[in-house]
Amino acid sequence: MMRTIGIIGLGHVGMTTAFNVVAQNLVDQLVLFETNTAKANAEFLDIKDALGAVPQQQTQIIMNDYSALKTADCVVFAAGQGDATDDGDRNSEIKTTKKAVDEVLPHLLSSGFHGVLINISNPCDVVTAYWQEKLTLPQNQVIGTGTMLDTNRMRRGVAEALHISVADVAGYNLGEHGESQFTAWSTVHLLNQNEQAVKDLDQAAVEKAARLGGWTIFDGKHYTSYGIAMTAVELIKAVMSDSHQIYALSYFDTAVQTYIGHLGKVGKHGIVEALDLTLTAAEQQKYQISAKIIRENLAKMKTL
């Protein structure tokens, strides 16, 4: 069966995602969408040039053809003006991202697409919720990267502080992919079982660094790309392989009635199982605050 994915929006993140899909030989058809004609042509030629360097590469690259998405396994939405925000709040991107969604929506609807939509664009939880309402796909088939990248930033911070491998750090950041996210320290542990080391950390500093990680990168190069692109690739692989791998990603939580970063098992149909964590009372409160912020910003998006 033909393995097909689409990537909508070929900015820094969208194109880095596309490159990694090709480099890892993940699909048979890669359908790319970009409204800037000159950029679309340039990226098409550039990524075609890369194909020859990948062993046994037979990926077909298709440009700006929504009909090719009818049987696609998943579509990654990476459009919007993500590099236009410099105030430290991803919710400032609501207006530009909503415009991008509204422009793409009729084309995606008419394509007959019925796979898994993976949203990258910010504000991630809000935009993912908006997509689900407009596409009318089942909630499990519309997901966002959520706090996956934030979780990885936290794990890196713990590993660097303790001088261990990031592979030996487990745990999650939850809530909004934004300023109200939090590290659920009750879930953080080391595979070497040295739990006291985690307790002795400057947890506030590690959590702050994870929360501000994107802005630290943004300040230096005015965009982020590698971390979020590889996060998207992880979700693509989970869908394509039906891996049932667990991530802290954005999907609908019935308990708080919104899309929000929490644990879910991902397979070929998106979320195949919702998972619950036993959080402390303080963590539960932070989660509720995050959910309220997301709901409020979704309401704001709908009025624009």
Side-chain angles (χ1 to χ4, degrees):
M1 187 174 179
M2 187 75 73
R3 301 169 301 162
T4 302
I5 73 161
I7 299 176
I8 300 173
L10 300 184
H12 298 296
V13 178
M15 205 57 216
T16 304
T17 303
F19 173 78
N20 279 284
V21 167
V22 168
Q24 297 182 43
N25 207 3
L26 297 181
V27 297
D28 302 303
Q29 287 187 328
L30 177 59
V31 193
L32 304 176
F33 297 87
E34 172 56 51
T35 56
N36 182 321
T37 302
K39 180 173 175 58
N41 290 336
E43 297 290 17
F44 175 73
L45 291 173
D46 203 7
I47 201 164
K48 289 273 283 185
D49 287 344
L51 292 177
V54 182
Q56 300 180 331
Q57 176 59 256
Q58 297 181 5
T59 302
Q60 180 185 10
I61 310 295
I62 301 172
M63 286 298 304
N64 290 330
D65 182 1
Y66 279 95
S67 67
L69 297 180
K70 184 173 183 178
T71 59
D73 299 276
C74 60
V75 167
V76 177
F77 183 73
Q81 202 169 350
D83 56 358
T85 301
D86 58 6
D87 64 355
D89 187 357
R90 294 172 179 85
N91 288 300
S92 298
E93 298 179 54
I94 283 178
K95 187 174 182 179
T96 53
T97 307
K98 180 181 183 295
K99 180 181 178 182
V101 173
D102 290 343
E103 288 174 354
V104 167
L105 180 65
H107 302 292
L108 199 53
L109 284 171
S110 63
S111 74
F113 171 68
H114 55 276
V116 176
L117 181 84
I118 299 171
N119 175 59
I120 294 175
S121 297
N122 284 320
C124 184
D125 308 281
V126 174
V127 174
T128 308
Y130 186 72
W131 260 121
Q132 193 278 325
E133 290 187 14
K134 294 297 182 179
L135 269 184
T136 64
L137 285 172
Q139 288 173 340
N140 64 288
Q141 288 181 223
V142 181
I143 60 180
T145 46
T147 50
M148 285 177 65
L149 178 55
D150 307 300
T151 291
N152 287 339
R153 286 171 174 157
M154 175 275 292
R155 291 174 60 234
R156 173 173 58 82
V158 171
E160 289 176 352
L162 299 178
H163 307 290
I164 60 175
S165 169
V166 68
D168 292 329
V169 182
Y172 304 100
N173 271 34
L174 303 174
E176 177 196 27
H177 176 57
E179 304 316 296
S180 69
Q181 68 172 268
F182 63 97
T183 299
W185 287 104
S186 65
T187 71
V188 178
H189 65 277
L190 309 180
L191 299 188
N192 64 12
Q193 302 298 310
N194 185 7
E195 304 307 313
Q196 189 59 44
V198 174
K199 295 177 182 178
D200 292 341
L201 276 174
D202 185 345
Q203 294 184 350
V206 172
E207 185 169 354
K208 181 179 179 181
R211 186 176 68 252
L212 299 180
W215 301 111
T216 302
I217 296 168
F218 183 92
D219 286 345
K221 65 178 192 176
H222 306 297
Y223 63 91
T224 63
S225 55
Y226 305 128
I228 186 59
M230 289 304 290
T231 300
V233 170
E234 278 296 297
L235 283 183
I236 291 169
K237 291 193 290 188
V239 172
M240 301 293 288
S241 67
D242 194 26
S243 72
H244 288 211
Q245 193 158 346
I246 296 168
Y247 299 104
L249 74 161
S250 185
Y251 70 99
F252 193 80
D253 184 348
T254 55
V256 293
Q257 289 294 295
T258 192
Y259 273 74
I260 188 169
H262 61 303
L263 292 196
K265 190 180 293 184
V266 180
K268 65 180 178 180
H269 299 302
I271 300 298
V272 297
E273 184 181 353
L275 302 173
D276 293 324
L277 283 170
T278 301
L279 302 177
T280 67
E283 290 167 348
Q284 283 281 7
Q285 184 178 24
K286 290 177 182 178
Y287 191 76
Q288 293 288 338
I289 290 170
S290 223
K292 182 174 183 289
I293 290 170
I294 295 166
R295 290 194 300 265
E296 289 172 350
N297 280 302
L298 176 59
K300 177 182 176 182
M301 174 178 264
K302 291 178 181 179
T303 66
L304 296 175

